[in-house]
Amino acid sequence: MGNANPIVKILKNSALLLYALFALFPLFWMLLISFKHDREMFNTIFVFHPTLENYRVLFSTGEYIGYFMNNVFVSVGAVLLSLVVGVPAAYALARFDFKGKEDLAFTFLSFRFAPEMLVILPLFLIYQRIGLYDTAFGLIWVFQLISLPFIIWILRGYFEDISPEIEHAARVDGYSWWRVFLKINMPLIKPGMVAAALLSFIFVWNNFTFALLLAGQDVVTTTVASLKYISSDTVHYGQMAAAVTISALPEVILALLIQKHLVRGLSMGAVKG
Protein backbone atom coordinates (compact mmCIF):
# COMPACT_ATOMS: atom_id res chain seq x y z
CA MET A 1 0.00 0.00 0.00
CA GLY A 2 2.93 2.30 0.73
CA ASN A 3 4.11 2.06 -2.89
CA ALA A 4 0.59 2.51 -4.28
CA ASN A 5 0.11 6.09 -3.04
CA PRO A 6 3.03 7.61 -5.00
CA ILE A 7 1.93 5.75 -8.12
CA VAL A 8 -1.64 6.98 -7.76
CA LYS A 9 -0.36 10.52 -7.23
CA ILE A 10 1.80 10.31 -10.35
CA LEU A 11 -1.13 8.97 -12.38
CA LYS A 12 -3.41 11.76 -11.15
CA ASN A 13 -0.83 14.44 -11.92
CA SER A 14 -0.23 12.94 -15.35
CA ALA A 15 -3.95 12.90 -16.07
CA LEU A 16 -4.28 16.54 -14.96
CA LEU A 17 -1.29 17.49 -17.13
CA LEU A 18 -2.80 15.76 -20.17
CA TYR A 19 -6.12 17.47 -19.60
CA ALA A 20 -4.39 20.86 -19.24
CA LEU A 21 -2.54 20.29 -22.52
CA PHE A 22 -5.79 19.26 -24.20
CA ALA A 23 -7.63 22.34 -22.87
CA LEU A 24 -4.85 24.82 -23.68
CA PHE A 25 -3.92 23.47 -27.11
CA PRO A 26 -6.59 25.51 -29.01
CA LEU A 27 -5.21 28.69 -27.44
CA PHE A 28 -1.66 27.67 -28.34
CA TRP A 29 -2.71 26.84 -31.91
CA MET A 30 -4.52 30.17 -32.28
CA LEU A 31 -1.42 32.02 -31.07
CA LEU A 32 0.72 30.01 -33.48
CA ILE A 33 -1.50 30.82 -36.45
CA SER A 34 -1.38 34.52 -35.65
CA PHE A 35 2.36 34.52 -36.53
CA LYS A 36 1.91 32.70 -39.86
CA HIS A 37 1.56 34.00 -43.39
CA ASP A 38 -1.66 33.05 -45.17
CA ARG A 39 0.34 30.93 -47.61
CA GLU A 40 1.69 28.82 -44.73
CA MET A 41 -1.64 27.97 -43.13
CA PHE A 42 -2.14 24.61 -44.81
CA ASN A 43 1.34 23.39 -45.72
CA THR A 44 3.20 23.73 -42.41
CA ILE A 45 2.57 22.71 -38.81
CA PHE A 46 5.18 23.84 -36.32
CA VAL A 47 8.04 24.70 -38.70
CA PHE A 48 7.47 28.07 -40.34
CA HIS A 49 8.87 31.58 -40.60
CA PRO A 50 7.10 33.71 -37.94
CA THR A 51 5.92 37.16 -38.90
CA LEU A 52 4.26 40.15 -37.24
CA GLU A 53 2.50 41.11 -40.45
CA ASN A 54 -0.91 40.03 -39.17
CA TYR A 55 -0.62 42.29 -36.14
CA ARG A 56 0.72 45.15 -38.28
CA VAL A 57 -2.29 44.92 -40.60
CA LEU A 58 -4.57 44.72 -37.59
CA PHE A 59 -3.36 48.02 -36.11
CA SER A 60 -2.39 49.84 -39.31
CA THR A 61 -5.72 51.64 -39.70
CA GLY A 62 -6.68 51.93 -36.04
CA GLU A 63 -10.12 50.41 -36.69
CA TYR A 64 -9.49 47.39 -34.49
CA ILE A 65 -8.57 49.62 -31.55
CA GLY A 66 -11.98 51.25 -31.92
CA TYR A 67 -13.69 47.85 -31.97
CA PHE A 68 -11.72 46.83 -28.89
CA MET A 69 -12.69 49.97 -26.99
CA ASN A 70 -16.34 49.46 -27.98
CA ASN A 71 -16.20 45.99 -26.48
CA VAL A 72 -14.58 47.30 -23.30
CA PHE A 73 -17.17 50.04 -22.91
CA VAL A 74 -20.29 47.91 -23.43
CA SER A 75 -18.94 44.95 -21.42
CA VAL A 76 -17.84 47.00 -18.40
CA GLY A 77 -20.99 49.09 -18.61
CA ALA A 78 -23.24 46.01 -18.70
CA VAL A 79 -21.49 44.39 -15.73
CA LEU A 80 -21.58 47.58 -13.64
CA LEU A 81 -25.25 48.15 -14.40
CA SER A 82 -25.99 44.51 -13.56
CA LEU A 83 -24.17 44.89 -10.23
CA VAL A 84 -26.20 48.00 -9.39
CA VAL A 85 -29.42 46.09 -10.09
CA GLY A 86 -28.32 42.59 -9.07
CA VAL A 87 -26.84 43.22 -5.62
CA PRO A 88 -30.04 44.73 -4.10
CA ALA A 89 -32.12 42.10 -5.92
CA ALA A 90 -29.99 39.28 -4.50
CA TYR A 91 -30.27 40.79 -1.02
CA ALA A 92 -34.06 41.06 -1.30
CA LEU A 93 -34.38 37.44 -2.46
CA ALA A 94 -32.16 36.28 0.41
CA ARG A 95 -33.66 38.33 3.25
CA PHE A 96 -37.34 38.96 2.55
CA ASP A 97 -40.20 36.49 2.24
CA PHE A 98 -42.93 37.53 -0.16
CA LYS A 99 -45.37 35.83 -2.45
CA GLY A 100 -43.87 34.56 -5.68
CA LYS A 101 -40.26 35.02 -4.52
CA GLU A 102 -38.99 31.74 -5.98
CA ASP A 103 -40.93 32.29 -9.19
CA LEU A 104 -39.29 35.68 -9.54
CA ALA A 105 -35.85 34.20 -8.88
CA PHE A 106 -36.44 31.50 -11.49
CA THR A 107 -37.56 34.15 -13.96
CA PHE A 108 -34.23 35.93 -13.56
CA LEU A 109 -32.40 32.65 -14.08
CA SER A 110 -34.48 31.86 -17.18
CA PHE A 111 -33.00 34.94 -18.86
CA ARG A 112 -29.71 33.01 -19.02
CA PHE A 113 -31.31 29.76 -20.18
CA ALA A 114 -33.44 31.31 -22.93
CA PRO A 115 -31.90 30.89 -26.43
CA GLU A 116 -30.73 34.20 -27.80
CA MET A 117 -32.40 33.53 -31.15
CA LEU A 118 -35.73 33.27 -29.33
CA VAL A 119 -35.66 36.92 -28.25
CA ILE A 120 -33.50 38.54 -30.90
CA LEU A 121 -36.30 39.25 -33.41
CA PRO A 122 -38.66 41.10 -31.01
CA LEU A 123 -35.67 42.92 -29.52
CA PHE A 124 -34.54 43.94 -33.00
CA LEU A 125 -37.97 45.37 -33.84
CA ILE A 126 -38.28 47.13 -30.47
CA TYR A 127 -34.78 48.60 -30.71
CA GLN A 128 -35.43 49.99 -34.17
CA ARG A 129 -38.69 51.58 -33.04
CA ILE A 130 -37.35 53.25 -29.89
CA GLY A 131 -33.99 54.26 -31.37
CA LEU A 132 -31.68 51.90 -29.47
CA TYR A 133 -30.47 50.00 -32.53
CA ASP A 134 -26.73 50.35 -33.14
CA THR A 135 -26.11 52.24 -29.89
CA ALA A 136 -23.77 51.46 -27.02
CA PHE A 137 -26.55 51.93 -24.49
CA GLY A 138 -28.71 49.46 -26.41
CA LEU A 139 -26.02 46.77 -26.20
CA ILE A 140 -25.38 47.50 -22.53
CA TRP A 141 -29.08 47.17 -21.81
CA VAL A 142 -29.50 43.84 -23.61
CA PHE A 143 -26.27 42.40 -22.20
CA GLN A 144 -27.96 42.47 -18.80
CA LEU A 145 -29.85 39.40 -19.98
CA ILE A 146 -26.52 37.60 -19.85
CA SER A 147 -24.86 39.06 -16.76
CA LEU A 148 -27.74 39.72 -14.35
CA PRO A 149 -28.73 36.05 -13.66
CA PHE A 150 -25.17 35.12 -12.62
CA ILE A 151 -24.89 38.05 -10.25
CA ILE A 152 -28.28 37.50 -8.61
CA TRP A 153 -27.93 33.76 -8.10
CA ILE A 154 -24.33 33.78 -6.88
CA LEU A 155 -24.78 36.73 -4.51
CA ARG A 156 -28.08 35.42 -3.19
CA GLY A 157 -26.22 32.46 -1.70
CA TYR A 158 -23.68 34.80 -0.12
CA PHE A 159 -26.35 36.93 1.52
CA GLU A 160 -28.09 33.81 2.82
CA ASP A 161 -24.83 32.72 4.47
CA ILE A 162 -24.56 36.01 6.39
CA SER A 163 -26.37 35.70 9.72
CA PRO A 164 -29.20 38.23 10.13
CA GLU A 165 -28.12 38.62 13.77
CA ILE A 166 -25.04 40.52 12.58
CA GLU A 167 -27.26 43.10 10.91
CA HIS A 168 -29.60 43.27 13.90
CA ALA A 169 -26.67 43.89 16.27
CA ALA A 170 -25.39 46.71 14.09
CA ARG A 171 -28.84 48.28 13.91
CA VAL A 172 -29.09 48.14 17.71
CA ASP A 173 -25.75 49.99 17.89
CA GLY A 174 -27.31 52.82 15.90
CA TYR A 175 -26.20 52.05 12.35
CA SER A 176 -28.66 52.84 9.60
CA TRP A 177 -29.71 50.13 7.15
CA TRP A 178 -27.55 51.62 4.41
CA ARG A 179 -24.46 51.73 6.65
CA VAL A 180 -25.04 48.11 7.67
CA PHE A 181 -25.40 47.13 4.04
CA LEU A 182 -22.33 49.04 2.85
CA LYS A 183 -19.99 48.52 5.84
CA ILE A 184 -20.86 44.94 6.82
CA ASN A 185 -22.61 43.07 4.00
CA MET A 186 -20.65 44.40 1.04
CA PRO A 187 -17.18 43.43 2.37
CA LEU A 188 -18.48 39.95 3.24
CA ILE A 189 -19.80 39.30 -0.27
CA LYS A 190 -16.73 40.78 -2.02
CA PRO A 191 -15.36 37.38 -3.20
CA GLY A 192 -18.75 36.49 -4.63
CA MET A 193 -19.03 39.85 -6.38
CA VAL A 194 -15.61 39.40 -7.97
CA ALA A 195 -16.45 35.88 -9.18
CA ALA A 196 -19.88 36.86 -10.48
CA ALA A 197 -18.59 40.03 -12.16
CA LEU A 198 -15.73 38.18 -13.90
CA LEU A 199 -17.98 35.38 -15.16
CA SER A 200 -20.50 37.94 -16.37
CA PHE A 201 -17.75 39.94 -18.08
CA ILE A 202 -16.49 36.85 -19.91
CA PHE A 203 -19.94 35.92 -21.22
CA VAL A 204 -20.72 39.51 -22.23
CA TRP A 205 -17.31 40.06 -23.83
CA ASN A 206 -17.65 36.93 -25.97
CA ASN A 207 -21.26 37.48 -27.00
CA PHE A 208 -21.74 37.38 -30.75
CA THR A 209 -25.46 37.17 -31.54
CA PHE A 210 -26.67 40.34 -29.81
CA ALA A 211 -23.61 42.32 -30.91
CA LEU A 212 -24.11 41.22 -34.53
CA LEU A 213 -27.86 41.76 -34.90
CA LEU A 214 -28.51 44.71 -32.57
CA ALA A 215 -25.60 46.86 -33.77
CA GLY A 216 -24.52 48.03 -37.18
CA GLN A 217 -21.55 50.15 -38.20
CA ASP A 218 -21.38 52.59 -35.28
CA VAL A 219 -20.94 50.06 -32.46
CA VAL A 220 -18.84 47.09 -33.61
CA THR A 221 -17.30 44.75 -31.02
CA THR A 222 -14.24 42.57 -31.46
CA THR A 223 -16.32 39.40 -31.82
CA VAL A 224 -18.21 40.85 -34.77
CA ALA A 225 -15.08 42.50 -36.19
CA SER A 226 -13.56 39.05 -36.69
CA LEU A 227 -15.94 38.58 -39.62
CA LYS A 228 -14.18 41.39 -41.49
CA TYR A 229 -11.28 39.06 -42.20
CA ILE A 230 -13.51 36.73 -44.23
CA SER A 231 -13.72 37.88 -47.83
CA SER A 232 -15.62 36.44 -50.77
CA ASP A 233 -12.64 34.54 -52.15
CA THR A 234 -10.50 33.73 -49.09
CA VAL A 235 -10.21 33.79 -45.32
CA HIS A 236 -7.34 35.67 -43.68
CA TYR A 237 -6.80 33.16 -40.90
CA GLY A 238 -3.66 34.86 -39.60
CA GLN A 239 -5.34 38.24 -39.15
CA MET A 240 -8.39 36.61 -37.61
CA ALA A 241 -6.20 34.66 -35.17
CA ALA A 242 -4.32 37.83 -34.24
CA ALA A 243 -7.61 39.65 -33.62
CA VAL A 244 -8.97 36.83 -31.46
CA THR A 245 -5.70 36.57 -29.53
CA ILE A 246 -5.79 40.26 -28.62
CA SER A 247 -9.49 40.01 -27.81
CA ALA A 248 -8.81 37.19 -25.34
CA LEU A 249 -6.11 39.11 -23.44
CA PRO A 250 -8.42 41.11 -21.09
CA GLU A 251 -10.13 37.93 -19.88
CA VAL A 252 -6.84 36.14 -19.27
CA ILE A 253 -5.26 39.13 -17.50
CA LEU A 254 -8.32 39.70 -15.29
CA ALA A 255 -8.49 36.03 -14.35
CA LEU A 256 -4.80 36.00 -13.38
CA LEU A 257 -5.03 39.23 -11.38
CA ILE A 258 -8.06 38.21 -9.30
CA GLN A 259 -7.73 34.43 -9.32
CA LYS A 260 -7.57 34.34 -5.50
CA HIS A 261 -10.93 36.08 -5.20
CA LEU A 262 -12.29 34.07 -8.11
CA VAL A 263 -11.49 30.67 -6.59
CA ARG A 264 -12.71 31.78 -3.19
CA GLY A 265 -15.88 33.24 -4.61
CA LEU A 266 -16.78 30.12 -6.57
CA SER A 267 -15.97 27.69 -3.75
CA MET A 268 -17.15 29.40 -0.55
CA GLY A 269 -20.80 29.06 -1.40
CA ALA A 270 -20.47 25.28 -1.43
CA VAL A 271 -18.86 25.11 2.02
CA LYS A 272 -21.34 25.56 4.85
CA GLY A 273 -21.69 24.53 8.45
PDB file of all heavy atoms in Angstrom, residues 77-104:
ATOM      1  N   GLY A  77     -19.745  48.422 -18.916  1.00  0.00           N
ATOM      2  CA  GLY A  77     -20.993  49.093 -18.607  1.00  0.00           C
ATOM      3  C   GLY A  77     -22.102  48.119 -18.246  1.00  0.00           C
ATOM      4  O   GLY A  77     -22.867  48.353 -17.296  1.00  0.00           O
ATOM      5  N   ALA A  78     -22.195  47.009 -18.979  1.00  0.00           N
ATOM      6  CA  ALA A  78     -23.237  46.011 -18.698  1.00  0.00           C
ATOM      7  C   ALA A  78     -23.019  45.354 -17.343  1.00  0.00           C
ATOM      8  O   ALA A  78     -23.975  45.146 -16.586  1.00  0.00           O
ATOM      9  CB  ALA A  78     -23.249  44.958 -19.804  1.00  0.00           C
ATOM     10  N   VAL A  79     -21.768  45.032 -17.015  1.00  0.00           N
ATOM     11  CA  VAL A  79     -21.487  44.389 -15.726  1.00  0.00           C
ATOM     12  C   VAL A  79     -21.756  45.344 -14.570  1.00  0.00           C
ATOM     13  O   VAL A  79     -22.355  44.959 -13.556  1.00  0.00           O
ATOM     14  CB  VAL A  79     -20.036  43.870 -15.696  1.00  0.00           C
ATOM     15  CG1 VAL A  79     -19.673  43.362 -14.303  1.00  0.00           C
ATOM     16  CG2 VAL A  79     -19.847  42.756 -16.718  1.00  0.00           C
ATOM     17  N   LEU A  80     -21.332  46.604 -14.704  1.00  0.00           N
ATOM     18  CA  LEU A  80     -21.575  47.576 -13.637  1.00  0.00           C
ATOM     19  C   LEU A  80     -23.068  47.814 -13.426  1.00  0.00           C
ATOM     20  O   LEU A  80     -23.548  47.878 -12.287  1.00  0.00           O
ATOM     21  CB  LEU A  80     -20.877  48.895 -13.963  1.00  0.00           C
ATOM     22  CG  LEU A  80     -19.351  48.894 -13.908  1.00  0.00           C
ATOM     23  CD1 LEU A  80     -18.797  50.257 -14.310  1.00  0.00           C
ATOM     24  CD2 LEU A  80     -18.859  48.508 -12.517  1.00  0.00           C
ATOM     25  N   LEU A  81     -23.807  47.942 -14.521  1.00  0.00           N
ATOM     26  CA  LEU A  81     -25.250  48.145 -14.405  1.00  0.00           C
ATOM     27  C   LEU A  81     -25.918  46.926 -13.783  1.00  0.00           C
ATOM     28  O   LEU A  81     -26.840  47.053 -12.963  1.00  0.00           O
ATOM     29  CB  LEU A  81     -25.844  48.438 -15.784  1.00  0.00           C
ATOM     30  CG  LEU A  81     -27.315  48.849 -15.825  1.00  0.00           C
ATOM     31  CD1 LEU A  81     -27.551  50.087 -14.961  1.00  0.00           C
ATOM     32  CD2 LEU A  81     -27.756  49.103 -17.262  1.00  0.00           C
ATOM     33  N   SER A  82     -25.440  45.739 -14.142  1.00  0.00           N
ATOM     34  CA  SER A  82     -25.991  44.513 -13.561  1.00  0.00           C
ATOM     35  C   SER A  82     -25.679  44.417 -12.072  1.00  0.00           C
ATOM     36  O   SER A  82     -26.497  43.910 -11.302  1.00  0.00           O
ATOM     37  CB  SER A  82     -25.438  43.289 -14.296  1.00  0.00           C
ATOM     38  OG  SER A  82     -25.864  43.275 -15.643  1.00  0.00           O
ATOM     39  N   LEU A  83     -24.501  44.887 -11.659  1.00  0.00           N
ATOM     40  CA  LEU A  83     -24.175  44.894 -10.231  1.00  0.00           C
ATOM     41  C   LEU A  83     -25.077  45.851  -9.465  1.00  0.00           C
ATOM     42  O   LEU A  83     -25.546  45.535  -8.362  1.00  0.00           O
ATOM     43  CB  LEU A  83     -22.711  45.286 -10.028  1.00  0.00           C
ATOM     44  CG  LEU A  83     -21.668  44.210 -10.348  1.00  0.00           C
ATOM     45  CD1 LEU A  83     -20.271  44.802 -10.284  1.00  0.00           C
ATOM     46  CD2 LEU A  83     -21.778  43.032  -9.393  1.00  0.00           C
ATOM     47  N   VAL A  84     -25.321  47.026 -10.048  1.00  0.00           N
ATOM     48  CA  VAL A  84     -26.200  47.998  -9.391  1.00  0.00           C
ATOM     49  C   VAL A  84     -27.597  47.423  -9.200  1.00  0.00           C
ATOM     50  O   VAL A  84     -28.236  47.624  -8.162  1.00  0.00           O
ATOM     51  CB  VAL A  84     -26.255  49.299 -10.218  1.00  0.00           C
ATOM     52  CG1 VAL A  84     -27.311  50.244  -9.660  1.00  0.00           C
ATOM     53  CG2 VAL A  84     -24.893  49.975 -10.212  1.00  0.00           C
ATOM     54  N   VAL A  85     -28.081  46.680 -10.190  1.00  0.00           N
ATOM     55  CA  VAL A  85     -29.418  46.087 -10.095  1.00  0.00           C
ATOM     56  C   VAL A  85     -29.379  44.769  -9.338  1.00  0.00           C
ATOM     57  O   VAL A  85     -30.273  44.470  -8.525  1.00  0.00           O
ATOM     58  CB  VAL A  85     -30.000  45.868 -11.512  1.00  0.00           C
ATOM     59  CG1 VAL A  85     -31.355  45.166 -11.438  1.00  0.00           C
ATOM     60  CG2 VAL A  85     -30.140  47.193 -12.241  1.00  0.00           C
ATOM     61  N   GLY A  86     -28.344  43.961  -9.576  1.00  0.00           N
ATOM     62  CA  GLY A  86     -28.321  42.595  -9.068  1.00  0.00           C
ATOM     63  C   GLY A  86     -28.026  42.466  -7.592  1.00  0.00           C
ATOM     64  O   GLY A  86     -28.579  41.577  -6.927  1.00  0.00           O
ATOM     65  N   VAL A  87     -27.175  43.335  -7.040  1.00  0.00           N
ATOM     66  CA  VAL A  87     -26.836  43.223  -5.619  1.00  0.00           C
ATOM     67  C   VAL A  87     -28.057  43.476  -4.733  1.00  0.00           C
ATOM     68  O   VAL A  87     -28.360  42.660  -3.853  1.00  0.00           O
ATOM     69  CB  VAL A  87     -25.671  44.182  -5.262  1.00  0.00           C
ATOM     70  CG1 VAL A  87     -25.443  44.196  -3.759  1.00  0.00           C
ATOM     71  CG2 VAL A  87     -24.392  43.743  -5.979  1.00  0.00           C
ATOM     72  N   PRO A  88     -28.814  44.567  -4.923  1.00  0.00           N
ATOM     73  CA  PRO A  88     -30.035  44.731  -4.105  1.00  0.00           C
ATOM     74  C   PRO A  88     -31.062  43.625  -4.357  1.00  0.00           C
ATOM     75  O   PRO A  88     -31.753  43.197  -3.421  1.00  0.00           O
ATOM     76  CB  PRO A  88     -30.572  46.100  -4.544  1.00  0.00           C
ATOM     77  CG  PRO A  88     -29.409  46.800  -5.133  1.00  0.00           C
ATOM     78  CD  PRO A  88     -28.572  45.743  -5.760  1.00  0.00           C
ATOM     79  N   ALA A  89     -31.168  43.169  -5.620  1.00  0.00           N
ATOM     80  CA  ALA A  89     -32.123  42.102  -5.920  1.00  0.00           C
ATOM     81  C   ALA A  89     -31.744  40.812  -5.207  1.00  0.00           C
ATOM     82  O   ALA A  89     -32.608  40.103  -4.665  1.00  0.00           O
ATOM     83  CB  ALA A  89     -32.186  41.878  -7.430  1.00  0.00           C
ATOM     84  N   ALA A  90     -30.443  40.487  -5.196  1.00  0.00           N
ATOM     85  CA  ALA A  90     -29.994  39.285  -4.499  1.00  0.00           C
ATOM     86  C   ALA A  90     -30.237  39.396  -2.999  1.00  0.00           C
ATOM     87  O   ALA A  90     -30.641  38.420  -2.348  1.00  0.00           O
ATOM     88  CB  ALA A  90     -28.504  39.059  -4.776  1.00  0.00           C
ATOM     89  N   TYR A  91     -30.012  40.581  -2.445  1.00  0.00           N
ATOM     90  CA  TYR A  91     -30.268  40.788  -1.017  1.00  0.00           C
ATOM     91  C   TYR A  91     -31.751  40.621  -0.699  1.00  0.00           C
ATOM     92  O   TYR A  91     -32.118  39.988   0.307  1.00  0.00           O
ATOM     93  CB  TYR A  91     -29.798  42.178  -0.606  1.00  0.00           C
ATOM     94  CG  TYR A  91     -30.015  42.489   0.860  1.00  0.00           C
ATOM     95  CD1 TYR A  91     -29.089  42.088   1.817  1.00  0.00           C
ATOM     96  CD2 TYR A  91     -31.158  43.174   1.286  1.00  0.00           C
ATOM     97  CE1 TYR A  91     -29.288  42.369   3.163  1.00  0.00           C
ATOM     98  CE2 TYR A  91     -31.360  43.449   2.626  1.00  0.00           C
ATOM     99  CZ  TYR A  91     -30.423  43.040   3.559  1.00  0.00           C
ATOM    100  OH  TYR A  91     -30.632  43.304   4.893  1.00  0.00           O
ATOM    101  N   ALA A  92     -32.616  41.176  -1.536  1.00  0.00           N
ATOM    102  CA  ALA A  92     -34.059  41.063  -1.303  1.00  0.00           C
ATOM    103  C   ALA A  92     -34.516  39.609  -1.374  1.00  0.00           C
ATOM    104  O   ALA A  92     -35.332  39.158  -0.551  1.00  0.00           O
ATOM    105  CB  ALA A  92     -34.817  41.910  -2.323  1.00  0.00           C
ATOM    106  N   LEU A  93     -33.992  38.848  -2.332  1.00  0.00           N
ATOM    107  CA  LEU A  93     -34.380  37.438  -2.458  1.00  0.00           C
ATOM    108  C   LEU A  93     -33.847  36.603  -1.300  1.00  0.00           C
ATOM    109  O   LEU A  93     -34.422  35.571  -0.961  1.00  0.00           O
ATOM    110  CB  LEU A  93     -33.869  36.881  -3.781  1.00  0.00           C
ATOM    111  CG  LEU A  93     -34.545  37.422  -5.043  1.00  0.00           C
ATOM    112  CD1 LEU A  93     -33.820  36.937  -6.292  1.00  0.00           C
ATOM    113  CD2 LEU A  93     -36.009  36.999  -5.097  1.00  0.00           C
ATOM    114  N   ALA A  94     -32.743  37.041  -0.702  1.00  0.00           N
ATOM    115  CA  ALA A  94     -32.162  36.280   0.405  1.00  0.00           C
ATOM    116  C   ALA A  94     -32.788  36.621   1.748  1.00  0.00           C
ATOM    117  O   ALA A  94     -32.880  35.761   2.630  1.00  0.00           O
ATOM    118  CB  ALA A  94     -30.648  36.529   0.460  1.00  0.00           C
ATOM    119  N   ARG A  95     -33.226  37.866   1.929  1.00  0.00           N
ATOM    120  CA  ARG A  95     -33.655  38.331   3.250  1.00  0.00           C
ATOM    121  C   ARG A  95     -35.174  38.376   3.426  1.00  0.00           C
ATOM    122  O   ARG A  95     -35.677  38.132   4.520  1.00  0.00           O
ATOM    123  CB  ARG A  95     -33.082  39.709   3.522  1.00  0.00           C
ATOM    124  CG  ARG A  95     -31.637  39.697   3.944  1.00  0.00           C
ATOM    125  CD  ARG A  95     -31.478  39.139   5.358  1.00  0.00           C
ATOM    126  NE  ARG A  95     -30.104  39.206   5.796  1.00  0.00           N
ATOM    127  CZ  ARG A  95     -29.241  38.211   5.683  1.00  0.00           C
ATOM    128  NH1 ARG A  95     -29.623  37.071   5.117  1.00  0.00           N
ATOM    129  NH2 ARG A  95     -28.013  38.332   6.127  1.00  0.00           N
ATOM    130  N   PHE A  96     -35.903  38.704   2.390  1.00  0.00           N
ATOM    131  CA  PHE A  96     -37.338  38.957   2.550  1.00  0.00           C
ATOM    132  C   PHE A  96     -38.159  37.799   2.015  1.00  0.00           C
ATOM    133  O   PHE A  96     -37.806  37.179   0.999  1.00  0.00           O
ATOM    134  CB  PHE A  96     -37.732  40.252   1.828  1.00  0.00           C
ATOM    135  CG  PHE A  96     -36.936  41.447   2.266  1.00  0.00           C
ATOM    136  CD1 PHE A  96     -36.292  42.259   1.335  1.00  0.00           C
ATOM    137  CD2 PHE A  96     -36.812  41.762   3.604  1.00  0.00           C
ATOM    138  CE1 PHE A  96     -35.558  43.354   1.733  1.00  0.00           C
ATOM    139  CE2 PHE A  96     -36.077  42.863   4.023  1.00  0.00           C
ATOM    140  CZ  PHE A  96     -35.450  43.647   3.083  1.00  0.00           C
ATOM    141  N   ASP A  97     -39.249  37.508   2.688  1.00  0.00           N
ATOM    142  CA  ASP A  97     -40.203  36.492   2.242  1.00  0.00           C
ATOM    143  C   ASP A  97     -41.441  37.198   1.693  1.00  0.00           C
ATOM    144  O   ASP A  97     -42.092  37.971   2.394  1.00  0.00           O
ATOM    145  CB  ASP A  97     -40.604  35.577   3.409  1.00  0.00           C
ATOM    146  CG  ASP A  97     -39.457  34.666   3.846  1.00  0.00           C
ATOM    147  OD1 ASP A  97     -38.702  34.222   2.960  1.00  0.00           O
ATOM    148  OD2 ASP A  97     -39.319  34.426   5.057  1.00  0.00           O
ATOM    149  N   PHE A  98     -41.740  36.945   0.457  1.00  0.00           N
ATOM    150  CA  PHE A  98     -42.930  37.532  -0.157  1.00  0.00           C
ATOM    151  C   PHE A  98     -43.482  36.546  -1.183  1.00  0.00           C
ATOM    152  O   PHE A  98     -42.788  35.627  -1.635  1.00  0.00           O
ATOM    153  CB  PHE A  98     -42.605  38.879  -0.819  1.00  0.00           C
ATOM    154  CG  PHE A  98     -41.439  38.836  -1.778  1.00  0.00           C
ATOM    155  CD1 PHE A  98     -41.622  38.523  -3.113  1.00  0.00           C
ATOM    156  CD2 PHE A  98     -40.147  39.111  -1.333  1.00  0.00           C
ATOM    157  CE1 PHE A  98     -40.559  38.491  -3.991  1.00  0.00           C
ATOM    158  CE2 PHE A  98     -39.069  39.079  -2.206  1.00  0.00           C
ATOM    159  CZ  PHE A  98     -39.280  38.762  -3.539  1.00  0.00           C
ATOM    160  N   LYS A  99     -44.694  36.735  -1.540  1.00  0.00           N
ATOM    161  CA  LYS A  99     -45.375  35.829  -2.450  1.00  0.00           C
ATOM    162  C   LYS A  99     -44.714  35.857  -3.834  1.00  0.00           C
ATOM    163  O   LYS A  99     -44.465  36.917  -4.390  1.00  0.00           O
ATOM    164  CB  LYS A  99     -46.853  36.219  -2.567  1.00  0.00           C
ATOM    165  CG  LYS A  99     -47.673  35.249  -3.401  1.00  0.00           C
ATOM    166  CD  LYS A  99     -49.137  35.665  -3.431  1.00  0.00           C
ATOM    167  CE  LYS A  99     -49.957  34.695  -4.274  1.00  0.00           C
ATOM    168  NZ  LYS A  99     -51.394  35.088  -4.323  1.00  0.00           N
ATOM    169  N   GLY A 100     -44.464  34.665  -4.345  1.00  0.00           N
ATOM    170  CA  GLY A 100     -43.866  34.560  -5.677  1.00  0.00           C
ATOM    171  C   GLY A 100     -42.374  34.801  -5.717  1.00  0.00           C
ATOM    172  O   GLY A 100     -41.813  35.037  -6.797  1.00  0.00           O
ATOM    173  N   LYS A 101     -41.695  34.728  -4.556  1.00  0.00           N
ATOM    174  CA  LYS A 101     -40.259  35.018  -4.523  1.00  0.00           C
ATOM    175  C   LYS A 101     -39.471  34.039  -5.386  1.00  0.00           C
ATOM    176  O   LYS A 101     -38.625  34.447  -6.193  1.00  0.00           O
ATOM    177  CB  LYS A 101     -39.747  34.979  -3.084  1.00  0.00           C
ATOM    178  CG  LYS A 101     -38.261  35.272  -2.968  1.00  0.00           C
ATOM    179  CD  LYS A 101     -37.788  35.311  -1.536  1.00  0.00           C
ATOM    180  CE  LYS A 101     -37.659  33.915  -0.961  1.00  0.00           C
ATOM    181  NZ  LYS A 101     -36.986  33.919   0.352  1.00  0.00           N
ATOM    182  N   GLU A 102     -39.740  32.739  -5.223  1.00  0.00           N
ATOM    183  CA  GLU A 102     -38.992  31.739  -5.979  1.00  0.00           C
ATOM    184  C   GLU A 102     -39.318  31.804  -7.471  1.00  0.00           C
ATOM    185  O   GLU A 102     -38.460  31.547  -8.310  1.00  0.00           O
ATOM    186  CB  GLU A 102     -39.274  30.341  -5.433  1.00  0.00           C
ATOM    187  CG  GLU A 102     -38.779  30.134  -4.001  1.00  0.00           C
ATOM    188  CD  GLU A 102     -37.288  30.394  -3.873  1.00  0.00           C
ATOM    189  OE1 GLU A 102     -36.541  30.101  -4.825  1.00  0.00           O
ATOM    190  OE2 GLU A 102     -36.865  30.903  -2.816  1.00  0.00           O
ATOM    191  N   ASP A 103     -40.565  32.132  -7.779  1.00  0.00           N
ATOM    192  CA  ASP A 103     -40.930  32.288  -9.193  1.00  0.00           C
ATOM    193  C   ASP A 103     -40.174  33.451  -9.815  1.00  0.00           C
ATOM    194  O   ASP A 103     -39.714  33.370 -10.960  1.00  0.00           O
ATOM    195  CB  ASP A 103     -42.439  32.517  -9.334  1.00  0.00           C
ATOM    196  CG  ASP A 103     -43.250  31.296  -8.927  1.00  0.00           C
ATOM    197  OD1 ASP A 103     -42.696  30.178  -9.000  1.00  0.00           O
ATOM    198  OD2 ASP A 103     -44.416  31.461  -8.532  1.00  0.00           O
ATOM    199  N   LEU A 104     -40.037  34.532  -9.050  1.00  0.00           N
ATOM    200  CA  LEU A 104     -39.285  35.684  -9.541  1.00  0.00           C
ATOM    201  C   LEU A 104     -37.816  35.339  -9.729  1.00  0.00           C
ATOM    202  O   LEU A 104     -37.194  35.712 -10.737  1.00  0.00           O
ATOM    203  CB  LEU A 104     -39.434  36.849  -8.572  1.00  0.00           C
ATOM    204  CG  LEU A 104     -38.718  38.154  -8.948  1.00  0.00           C
ATOM    205  CD1 LEU A 104     -39.258  38.703 -10.269  1.00  0.00           C
ATOM    206  CD2 LEU A 104     -38.867  39.193  -7.836  1.00  0.00           C
TER     207      LEU A 104
END
